[in-house]
């Protein structure tokens, strides 16, 4: 973990938030390369969900949430962790994370009784600060999917099964944020709510577990490092009938990367029951009205149903950590040397290709390099960088370390024969490629 944290800082993936003022615990900032990696992960998820499935629609809803939503979702009363204080050194811990009931700071066993600590952040809305003028920062993106259920159904003419996907920030006032970006207070989630007929939920749940395992494998995680954890009944969230967690062997241990829950009709049912027009809702629940906000008509029977929901919910930040961990390698080279290489899947690499002029002061070479950069950039496959440092060896080392799949060197010969030297990150093999073939070459390399 220490090596990864150091690499992230040195190369500009991830920084401690507000570092110049001593930091803000549980918050991290993504630097120039981190933002690219994170965007690539999110766009791989979005493609696999929304673009590859005509029955899944996207959403980008607000973070500020009406307290009624989180009251009726059950979060106000149950979204808490058990907290204990150490009576000796006053440190505060999550009770379920203390092995042997000992304070992790001073080792004392003199702890307070566990008490629930609600994890939701509140913020004031409007100019007047009063008890009831507040909103929550959403603790999961899911609730805004449920509250938009009817809007999406009506505007996109959906029938069951169908899904709504969303990527966005979520906030939890974690008692003890730790392990770099693994447990933070501000993070991003990639969540799908997949709505199915009651009765079809269990089979659908199993199939999403498989699909999600496949997806993580395509992002570079070894299947052997991802374990399935059947969450026991007494640990299930209040809304869940069954949850399977995908656990990954992070540098600090085996922990949750994604949770895949069968949320039943809990949320849609609860929001339906608790809307203002209770009379109307009562009728809907008895199948007497078509005006429910959060039900859908079964086209076979014409009856109104509140669907069940399967929810694959993945953390972007935990994904970044797992993918970096998996890609990070120190390789032995001939002559007792070694190199650090980030063997990222090319579609996730922050920089797709670096164009390196052999001589930084040779205008002809630099101009040709710049033309090549612009031409490749137009492919719109991600960032292509003109790396004009004049030191090829250093350039290769840097790009190995940040996971750039190919380096393209423009030399004197290039001016004569319109070809360049292309070096592969993984094999370190070099080959000559005609400039006119570079676009196809790059597309083949990174797809
Ligand atoms: P944990 O048990 O580790 O606290 P959780 O079960 O509360 O996690 P979920 O509510 O299932 O997590 O949230 C879905 C996903 O969101 C998690 O699998 C994780 O990837 C991510 N996530 C949740 N809490 C955090 C956090 N504090 N920091 C970073 N990612 C988080």
């Amino acid at each position: 973990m220490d090596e990864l944290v150091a690499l992230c800082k040195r190369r500009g993936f991830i920084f401690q938030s507000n570092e110049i003022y001593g930091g803000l615990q549980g918050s991290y900032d993504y630097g120039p390369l981190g933002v690219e990696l994170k965007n690539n992960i999110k766009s791989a998820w979005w493609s696999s969900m929304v673009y590859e499935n005509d029955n899944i629609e996207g959403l980008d809803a607000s973070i500020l949430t009406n307290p009624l939503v989180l009251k009726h979702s059950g979060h106000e009363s149950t979204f808490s962790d058990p907290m204990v204080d150490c009576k000796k050194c006053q440190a505060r811990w999550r009770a379920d994370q203390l092995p042997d009931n000992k304070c992790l700071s001073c080792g004392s066993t003199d702890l307070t009784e566990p008490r629930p600590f609600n994890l939701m952040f509140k913020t004031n809305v409007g100019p007047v600060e009063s008890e009831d003028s507040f909103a929550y920062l959403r603790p999961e993106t899911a609730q805004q999917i449920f509250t938009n259920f009817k809007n999406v159904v009506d505007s996109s003419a959906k029938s069951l099964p169908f899904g709504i996907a969303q990527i966005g920030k979520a906030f939890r006032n974690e008692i003890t944020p730790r392990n770099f970006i693994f447990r933070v207070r501000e993070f991003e989630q990639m969540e799908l709510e997949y709505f199915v007929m009651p009765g079809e939920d269990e089979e659908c749940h199993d199939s999403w577990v498989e699909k999600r395992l496949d997806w993580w494998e395509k992002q570079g995680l070894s299947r052997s490092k991802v374990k399935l954890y059947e969450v026991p009944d007494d640990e299930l969230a209040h809304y869940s009938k069954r949850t399977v967690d995908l656990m990954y062997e992070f540098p600090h241990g085996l922990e949750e990367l994604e949770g895949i829950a069968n949320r039943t009709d809990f949320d849609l049912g609860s929001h339906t029951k608790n809307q203002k027009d209770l009379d109307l809702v009562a009728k809907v629940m008895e199948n007497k009205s078509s005006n429910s906000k959060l039900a859908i008509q079964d086209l076979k029977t014409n009856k109104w149903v509140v669907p069940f929901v399967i929810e694959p919910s993945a953390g972007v930040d935990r994904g970044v950590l797992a993918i970096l961990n998996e890609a990070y390698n120190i390789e032995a080279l001939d002559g007792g040397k070694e190199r650090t290489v980030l063997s990222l899947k090319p579609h996730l690499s922050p920089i797709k290709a670096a164009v390196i002029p052999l001589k930084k002061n040779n205008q002809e070479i630099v101009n040709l390099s710049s033309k090549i950069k612009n031409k490749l950039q137009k492919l719109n496959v991600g960032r292509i960088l003109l790396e004009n440092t004049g030191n090829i060896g250093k350039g290769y080392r840097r790009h190995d370390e940040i996971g750039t799949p190919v380096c393209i060197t423009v030399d004197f010969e290039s001016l004569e024969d319109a070809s360049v030297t292309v070096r592969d990150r993984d094999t370190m093999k070099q080959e000559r490629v005609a400039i006119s073939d570079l676009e196809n070459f790059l597309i083949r390399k990174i797809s």
Side-chain angles (χ1 to χ4, degrees):
M1 183 72 108
D2 289 347
E3 283 177 42
L4 266 186
V5 174
L7 173 83
C8 283
K9 166 135 199 200
R10 185 169 73 248
R11 292 304 191 185
F13 281 92
I14 300 165
F15 309 123
Q16 167 78 59
S17 264
N18 307 283
E19 196 177 11
I20 60 166
Y21 285 105
L24 177 67
Q25 211 200 0
S27 315
Y28 284 90
D29 298 337
Y30 286 79
L33 298 180
V35 64
E36 298 292 339
L37 172 61
K38 203 177 182 204
N39 283 343
N40 292 340
I41 295 172
K42 291 192 282 184
S43 96
W45 185 90
W46 194 262
S47 290
S48 82
M49 291 295 181
V50 182
Y51 299 164
E52 290 171 23
N53 296 288
D54 288 338
N55 69 342
I56 297 182
E57 301 292 331
L59 184 75
D60 181 16
S62 72
I63 286 168
L64 292 176
T65 307
N66 185 329
L68 282 175
V69 172
L70 291 155
K71 176 175 176 200
H72 296 310
S73 69
H75 283 79
E76 262 189 356
S77 53
T78 63
F79 196 63
S80 56
D81 281 334
M83 176 177 71
V84 290
D85 289 318
C86 171
K87 288 189 191 160
K88 192 167 163 212
C89 74
Q90 272 76 49
R92 189 160 268 190
W93 304 106
R94 240 176 88 168
D96 57 338
Q97 290 177 348
L98 289 188
D100 315 323
N101 280 333
K102 272 190 188 154
C103 171
L104 294 176
S105 283
C106 69
S108 164
T109 50
D110 193 9
L111 307 172
T112 59
E113 282 300 305
R115 57 196 185 284
F117 175 75
N118 195 294
L119 299 176
M120 290 197 292
F121 280 103
K122 274 181 181 178
T123 189
N124 228 69
V125 285
V128 185
E129 222 172 289
S130 74
E131 278 280 291
D132 47 12
S133 64
F134 75 92
Y136 286 114
L137 303 187
R138 63 185 182 195
E140 59 174 16
T141 73
Q143 289 309 320
Q144 306 293 47
I145 296 184
F146 298 130
T147 58
N148 275 294
F149 176 81
K150 179 86 169 137
N151 290 332
V152 176
V153 169
D154 288 353
S155 58
S156 56
K158 286 279 169 279
S159 57
L160 295 178
F162 78 94
I164 304 177
Q166 179 168 224
I167 300 176
K169 291 260 179 174
F171 299 82
R172 296 183 188 178
N173 197 4
E174 295 282 353
I175 299 166
T176 38
R178 59 190 168 153
N179 294 322
F180 195 31
I181 51 171
F182 176 83
R183 185 172 302 287
V184 282
R185 294 194 169 119
E186 175 177 345
F187 54 98
E188 273 189 275
Q189 290 183 317
M190 306 183 282
E191 292 197 306
L192 170 71
E193 304 304 321
Y194 196 74
F195 302 99
V196 294
M197 280 297 282
E200 291 170 15
D201 51 309
E202 292 180 4
E203 201 177 311
C204 179
H205 192 188
D206 287 336
S207 81
W208 273 109
V209 172
E210 286 309 312
K211 283 186 235 176
R212 296 303 301 144
L213 279 169
D214 282 354
W215 186 81
W216 283 113
E217 210 171 339
K218 285 191 188 129
Q219 311 319 309
L221 302 197
S222 332
R223 184 61 190 81
S224 61
K225 285 196 175 170
V226 184
K227 306 258 156 44
L228 295 183
Y229 175 67
E230 201 57 61
V231 178
D233 284 354
D234 61 346
E235 283 177 28
L236 286 176
H238 61 281
Y239 49 72
S240 174
K241 169 174 160 186
R242 177 185 172 220
T243 297
V244 179
D245 286 343
L246 305 192
M247 312 287 280
Y248 175 74
E249 277 177 22
F250 286 98
H252 61 279
L254 186 69
E255 292 231 45
E256 178 179 332
L257 169 66
E258 168 161 355
I260 304 166
N262 182 342
R263 292 181 81 129
T264 70
D265 57 357
F266 178 86
D267 300 270
L268 291 184
S270 176
H271 291 309
T272 300
K273 277 184 235 145
N274 287 297
Q275 285 168 78
K276 280 191 203 124
D277 192 346
L278 289 173
D279 262 2
L280 173 75
V281 173
K283 280 188 201 149
V284 173
M285 297 307 273
E286 293 162 22
N287 273 314
K288 288 190 183 146
S289 161
S290 64
N291 282 338
S292 164
K293 294 231 167 74
L294 307 180
I296 189 166
Q297 203 163 20
D298 175 6
L299 297 178
K300 285 185 209 136
T301 61
N302 282 341
K303 281 199 166 177
W304 286 84
V305 280
V306 179
F308 269 41
V309 181
I310 305 302
E311 177 196 67
S313 170
V316 180
D317 311 79
R318 289 186 189 179
V320 169
L321 185 58
I323 285 167
L324 282 175
N325 176 58
E326 195 85 34
Y328 180 80
N329 277 313
I330 302 208
E331 276 180 14
L333 300 176
D334 292 345
K337 288 189 181 154
E338 57 182 31
R339 69 165 182 155
T340 305
V341 58
L342 213 49
S343 308
L344 292 168
K345 293 277 178 190
H347 70 280
L348 298 180
S349 292
I351 293 169
K352 303 300 179 207
V355 185
I356 312 179
L358 182 71
K359 288 267 175 263
K360 79 174 185 191
N361 297 325
N362 183 303
Q363 216 41 54
E364 267 186 289
I365 292 181
V366 174
N367 286 348
L368 180 58
S369 305
S370 169
K371 260 195 210 152
I372 292 172
K373 180 236 143 93
N374 291 338
K375 179 166 106 151
L376 295 179
Q377 193 62 69
K378 289 208 178 84
L379 289 173
N380 213 7
V381 290
R383 188 162 190 203
I384 313 293
L385 189 73
L386 176 67
E387 184 76 86
N388 194 13
T389 52
N391 185 329
I392 304 290
K394 236 178 166 176
Y396 287 167
R397 270 199 300 286
R398 168 174 143 79
H399 285 282
D400 282 348
E401 225 186 25
I402 65 175
T404 308
V406 288
C407 286
I408 299 167
T409 301
V410 182
D411 52 24
F412 289 103
E413 252 181 280
S414 309
L415 302 173
E416 309 296 325
D417 68 359
S419 67
V420 288
T421 299
V422 176
R423 175 188 179 269
D424 182 278
R425 174 196 69 197
D426 299 328
T427 61
M428 292 188 285
K429 288 217 171 90
Q430 303 192 9
E431 60 183 302
R432 266 329 252 191
V433 175
I435 294 173
S436 56
D437 285 345
L438 267 181
E439 283 141 312
N440 285 336
F441 179 91
L442 187 65
I443 285 172
R444 271 202 310 278
K445 269 276 173 210
I446 63 179
S447 55

